[in-house]
C-alpha cells in the first residue's frame, strides 16, 4: 500500500518475505514515484528528491536475499529523509545486522517466527509462479495450466505468474532463457507493477532484444493482443539487426526522419517506420539537452549548460541545404547571445518562433517582431514542444512541462498559460506534440517512468511504462509514439 499525506510525505508498506533485493527495489521505486533498476539507483533517486518518505518493511529475515536487503535498508537510513520501520525475527542474521545500525531514522521491531503462510513457501523462499495468489493455474481459475518455476523460458508462464517470484528466480539464475531474462531485468519495475498479464507481455516484448529466440516475439505479441498498445519496433542495447543507435537524451522529428541525440552529443537519424538508420551520425561535440529542427534544414541544440548551438543537417538525413543557407540568422544569433548570459532549461521552435524555458518556470518566445513571456510553471521548465497554427494561420502553440508535474499550453502573444492539460505528482521528463491526420497528439513523460499519449477527439489518453527511466518522447506524423531511454529506443502505436 502507498499513500501521500497532506504534507506530501509518501508512505509505503512492503512485505519482504521471499523477495530478492531487486524485487524490493522495484516495489519500493514504484510505490515511491521514482525509477530505479538497482539498489544504488533507488538510493540516488531518493537522495535527489526532497520529499520525505516513511517505509514499513516487514520480515527482513524472510527475504530471499536478507543481507542484501539489510544493506539497502542501511543505505536508506543514511539519507536522513527516509524514516524506516523494519521487522525481523530476533536472533536472525538480518536482525543482528540491523540492530547494529545507529540511525534515528531506523526503527527495528521483532518479527514473529516465519511460517509457510507468511514466508511464501515451506522453506521461506519465494512463492513459485504456479502458487501465486489469483494465478490462473490455481484450481478453479481459467485455464487450469500449471506453471513451474523451471519454465522461465515460457513467455506465457512468466507473464501470468507472480512477477516478484519470477524476479527472484531470474535473479538467482544466470541463464538468459532465450532472451526472456535480460528483457525482464531491463523492464522489471514496470513488470512488477503491472497486474495484467497481457500488458506484462507487451512490456516484455518492448524490452526484447534481437538476440532473443525468434519464437518469443510472436508468442509475446499474441499474448499482448488485448493490450491497448502494439509494438511497432524496438531497438535495445546490443542490437545489430538493425543497430541500436545508442542512449537517447533528446528526440525530434525533421523531414520525415526521427532524430535521436545521445548524451555524448552524437546525433543519429532513423526512419520512424522501422527504426533503421538514415544517413550517418553527426558528432556535435556537446552534450545535448534538447533539439529544435528548423524548416530550412538547420537544427538548434540546447547543450547541458543551457547554451544554444546551431548547424545544418546536410547529409545526415538527406536534406539539401537551400541556396544561401548558413548556420545562423539574426534571430538565432540574438537568442544565442541571451542564453550565454541566462542559460535555458528547455528549447523548441516552430514557424519562425524560438521558445526557451528557464530554471524559474518562465517561457520566452522570441520572434522577429518581438518577445513574449509567461510564467508557466513552479520551478524549472523541463521540456517544451511547439506547433505552428494549422491552415497557414499565424502563431504557434507551445506545450511545456515542468518540475511541478504539469503540462500546459500557451499561445505567445495571446495571454498567460491556461489550466494544466495534465498534472501528476512528479516532474515532467519530456513533452512532444505533433499534428496527425486525426488532429493534435501530445505525448508526455514523467520522472517516475510513466508515458501518456493525449489524443484528440473522444479517444481517451493511453499510458505506458517501459520500466527504465524515460529521457525523451516523440510523436510521428503517423501518430506513433517513440520513447527514448538509456538502453532502448521504442516505437508504439495505439491498438485502436
Amino acid at each position: 500500500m502507498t499513500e501521500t499525506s497532506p504534507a506530501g510525505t509518501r508512505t509505503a508498506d512492503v512485505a519482504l518475505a521471499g523477495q530478492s533485493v531487486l524485487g524490493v527495489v522495484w516495489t519500493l521505486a514504484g510505490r515511491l514515484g521514482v525509477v530505479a533498476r538497482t539498489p544504488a539507483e533507488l538510493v540516488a533517486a531518493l537522495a535527489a528528491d526532497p520529499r520525505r518518505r516513511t517505509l514499513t518493511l516487514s520480515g527482513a529475515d524472510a527475504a530471499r536475499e536478507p543481507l542484501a536487503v539489510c544493506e539497502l535498508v542501511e543505505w536508506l537510513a543514511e539519507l536522513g529523509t527516509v524514516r524506516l520501520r523494519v521487522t525481523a525475527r530476533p536472533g536472525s542474521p538480518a536482525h543482528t545486522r540491523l540492530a547494529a545500525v545507529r540511525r534515528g531514522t531506523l526503527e527495528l521491531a521483532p518479527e514473529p517466527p516465519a511460517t509457510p503462510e507468511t514466508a511464501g513457501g515451506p522453506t521461506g523462499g519465494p512463492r513459485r509462479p504456479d502458487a501465486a495468489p489469483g494465478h490462473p493455474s490455481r484450481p478453479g481459475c481459467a485455464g487450469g495450466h500449471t506453471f513451474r518455476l523451471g519454465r522461465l523460458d515460457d513467455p506465457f508462464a512468466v507473464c501470468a505468474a507472480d512477477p516478484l517470484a519470477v524476479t527472484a528466480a531470474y535473479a538467482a539464475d544466470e541463464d538468459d532463457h532465450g532472451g526472456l531474462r535480460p528483457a525482464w531485468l531491463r523492464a522489471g519495475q514496470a513488470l512488477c507493477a503491472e497486474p495484467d498479464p497481457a500488458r506484462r507481455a507487451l512490456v516484455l516484448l518492448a524490452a526484447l532484444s534481437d538476440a532473443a529466440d525468434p519464437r518469443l516475439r510472436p508468442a509475446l505479441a499474441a499474448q499482448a493482443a488485448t493490450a491497448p498498445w502494439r509494438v511497432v519496433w524496438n531497438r535495445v542495447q546490443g542490437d545489430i539487426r538493425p543497430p541500436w543507435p545508442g542512449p537517447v537524451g533528446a528526440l525530434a522529428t525533421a523531414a520525415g526522419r526521427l532524430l535521436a541525440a545521445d548524451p555524448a552529443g552524437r546525433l543519429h537519424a532513423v526512419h520512424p517506420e522501422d527504426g533503421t538508420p538514415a544517413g550517418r551520425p553527426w558528432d556535435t561535440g556537446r552534450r545535448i539537452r534538447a533539439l529544435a529542427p528548423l524548416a530550412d534544414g538547420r537544427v538548434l541544440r540546447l547543450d547541458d549548460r543551457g547554451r544554444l548551438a546551431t548547424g545544418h543537417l546536410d547529409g545526415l538525413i538527406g536534406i539539401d541545404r537551400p541556396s544561401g543557407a548558413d548556420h545562423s540568422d539574426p534571430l538565432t544569433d540574438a537568442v544565442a547571445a541571451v542564453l550565454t548570459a541566462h542559460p535555458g532549461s528547455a528549447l523548441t521552435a516552430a514557424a519562425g518562433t524560438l521558445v526557451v524555458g528557464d530554471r524559474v518556470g518562465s517561457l520566452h518566445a522570441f520572434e522577429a517582431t518581438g518577445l513574449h513571456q509567461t510564467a508557466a510553471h513552479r520551478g524549472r521548465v523541463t521540456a517544451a514542444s511547439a506547433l505552428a497554427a494549422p491552415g497557414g494561420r499565424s502563431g504557434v502553440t507551445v506545450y511545456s512541462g515542468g518540475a511541478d508535474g504539469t503540462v500546459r499550453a500557451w499561445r505567445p502573444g495571446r495571454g498567460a498559460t491556461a489550466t494544466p492539460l495534465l498534472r501528476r505528482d512528479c516532474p515532467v521528463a519530456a513533452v512532444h506534440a505533433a499534428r496527425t491526420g486525426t488532429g493534435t497528439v501530445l505525448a508526455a513523460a514523467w520522472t517516475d517512468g510513466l508515458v501518456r499519449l493525449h489524443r484528440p477527439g473522444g479517444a481517451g489518453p493511453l499510458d505506458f511504462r517501459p520500466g527504465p527511466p524515460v529521457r525523451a518522447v516523440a510523436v510521428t506524423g503517423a501518430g506513433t509514439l517513440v520513447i527514448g531511454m538509456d538502453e532502448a529506443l521504442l516505437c508504439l502505436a495505439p491498438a485502436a
Side-chain angles (χ1 to χ4, degrees):
M1 181 183 70
T2 306
E3 59 186 27
T4 303
S5 73
T9 301
R10 283 177 175 259
T11 67
D13 299 339
V14 177
L16 301 177
Q19 288 210 51
S20 65
V21 70
L22 274 183
V24 175
V25 166
W26 294 341
T27 301
L28 286 174
R31 296 185 182 183
L32 296 177
V34 298
V35 180
R37 292 162 291 186
T38 65
E41 286 190 6
L42 176 63
V43 174
L46 296 182
D49 191 329
R51 291 177 296 181
R52 303 190 68 83
R53 271 88 171 185
T54 300
L55 308 180
T56 300
L57 309 177
S58 58
D61 60 288
R64 176 69 176 260
E65 300 169 293
L67 296 185
V69 169
C70 288
E71 184 177 39
L72 173 61
V73 171
E74 292 169 354
W75 290 353
L76 293 173
E78 292 281 347
L79 292 177
T81 57
V82 178
R83 181 163 295 279
L84 298 121
R85 183 179 188 276
V86 185
T87 66
R89 183 166 44 89
S92 67
H95 189 277
T96 300
R97 180 161 179 172
L98 293 175
V101 178
R102 296 291 182 257
R103 293 288 173 182
T105 54
L106 173 62
E107 175 191 347
L108 178 62
E111 176 80 8
T115 67
E117 289 74 21
T118 60
T123 63
R127 287 187 177 91
R128 295 164 59 93
D130 57 315
H135 186 272
S137 67
R138 292 177 63 83
C141 294
H145 190 77
T146 299
F147 304 129
R148 304 186 184 280
L149 196 59
R151 298 301 306 277
L152 293 174
D153 58 352
D154 181 344
F156 184 75
V158 299
C159 290
D162 177 353
L164 292 174
V166 175
T167 297
Y170 279 143
D173 187 347
E174 294 185 358
D175 190 291
D176 71 1
H177 294 284
L180 281 177
R181 179 179 180 270
W184 187 281
L185 296 180
R186 184 176 294 115
Q189 182 174 331
L191 291 163
C192 288
E194 178 53 66
D196 179 29
R199 292 179 184 241
R200 278 190 214 141
L202 176 75
V203 173
L204 199 56
L205 176 61
L208 206 63
S209 79
D210 67 2
D213 186 324
R215 295 171 294 182
L216 290 177
R217 204 168 291 274
L220 286 168
Q223 192 174 356
T226 59
W229 297 94
R230 62 179 179 86
V231 176
V232 180
W233 52 263
N234 72 321
R235 303 286 174 263
V236 304
Q237 186 173 25
D239 278 2
I240 58 174
R241 302 186 306 270
W244 172 60
V248 176
L251 288 170
T253 56
R257 301 291 190 268
L258 181 70
L259 305 182
D262 69 24
R266 288 181 296 270
L267 194 58
H268 303 261
V270 301
H271 294 280
E273 300 84 5
D274 56 11
T276 56
R280 63 182 184 275
W282 173 22
D283 191 348
T284 68
R286 290 281 185 86
R287 294 173 64 91
I288 297 173
R289 177 181 291 173
L291 296 169
L294 304 180
D296 62 5
R298 289 180 298 150
V299 59
L300 305 181
R301 309 181 306 277
L302 190 71
D303 68 19
D304 59 344
R305 297 183 300 168
R307 312 288 180 80
L308 186 68
T310 183
H312 203 282
L313 295 175
D314 288 331
L316 173 71
I317 57 174
I319 295 179
D320 293 326
R321 187 183 303 197
S323 176
D326 57 25
H327 291 277
S328 65
D329 62 33
L331 181 59
T332 56
D333 288 347
V335 174
V338 170
L339 296 186
T340 298
H342 305 282
S345 61
L347 173 73
T348 187
T353 300
L354 274 58
V355 182
V356 176
D358 65 23
R359 290 173 291 183
V360 297
S362 295
L363 293 170
H364 311 267
F366 297 86
E367 297 176 339
T369 56
L371 172 66
H372 304 284
Q373 302 178 87
T374 186
H377 299 275
R378 295 181 183 176
R380 178 186 296 266
V381 178
T382 56
S385 181
L387 283 179
R393 299 195 300 271
S394 63
V396 300
T397 301
V398 180
Y399 300 90
S400 63
D404 58 2
T406 66
V407 175
R408 297 176 181 269
W410 173 50
R411 299 184 70 184
R414 303 199 179 186
T417 48
T419 301
L421 300 174
L422 304 169
R423 184 196 294 273
R424 298 188 65 246
D425 187 27
C426 60
V428 175
V431 168
H432 189 257
R435 195 157 283 115
T436 69
T438 58
T440 300
V441 178
L442 173 67
W446 286 265
T447 56
D448 68 347
L450 180 76
V451 182
R452 177 164 294 166
L453 191 69
H454 196 67
R455 300 181 290 172
L462 288 178
D463 290 350
F464 181 75
R465 290 183 184 272
V470 175
R471 307 302 185 191
V473 293
V475 178
T476 70
T480 58
L481 171 66
V482 181
I483 303 173
M485 296 163 280
D486 294 337
E487 299 176 0
L489 183 64
L490 166 67
C491 182
L492 301 172

